[in-house]
Amino acid sequence: MTEILGWTGCLLLLTAYLFLYLKKFRLFLYFNLAASVCLTVYSILLKSAPFAIVNGFITLVVAKKLIKNEQS
């Protein structure tokens, strides 16, 4: 189950950057948020503090952008 969470986060992140390339900024933010949440949980399950801190920070930044309705 843990590995599936990591792969899901990875695929969501790759999809997010595809949307960024296509200038679909709102979709980029949603997919980036979902990916960073998955990868934060995954890194906590793996007990990888540096990875958890980075992805947790990304989660907070993207969530703030979505809440404040900001563009990327």
Side-chain angles (χ1 to χ4, degrees):
M1 179 64 186
T2 303
E3 192 168 335
I4 292 171
L5 188 60
W7 279 109
T8 301
C10 177
L11 291 173
L12 286 168
L13 188 60
L14 292 173
T15 304
Y17 278 92
L18 176 64
F19 285 126
L20 183 61
Y21 175 77
L22 296 172
K23 298 188 184 341
K24 305 284 185 187
F25 298 115
R26 204 77 183 149
L27 285 172
F28 165 73
L29 289 175
Y30 285 118
F31 274 78
N32 197 10
L33 179 63
S36 62
V37 168
C38 285
L39 292 171
T40 300
V41 173
Y42 176 67
S43 60
I44 290 169
L45 292 173
L46 292 180
K47 297 181 171 98
S48 175
F51 193 42
I53 290 168
V54 168
N55 282 291
F57 180 77
I58 292 168
T59 300
L60 294 175
V61 169
V62 174
K64 177 193 168 284
K65 282 183 167 287
L66 284 170
I67 289 168
K68 294 205 174 219
N69 203 21
E70 296 176 11
Q71 291 295 318
S72 178

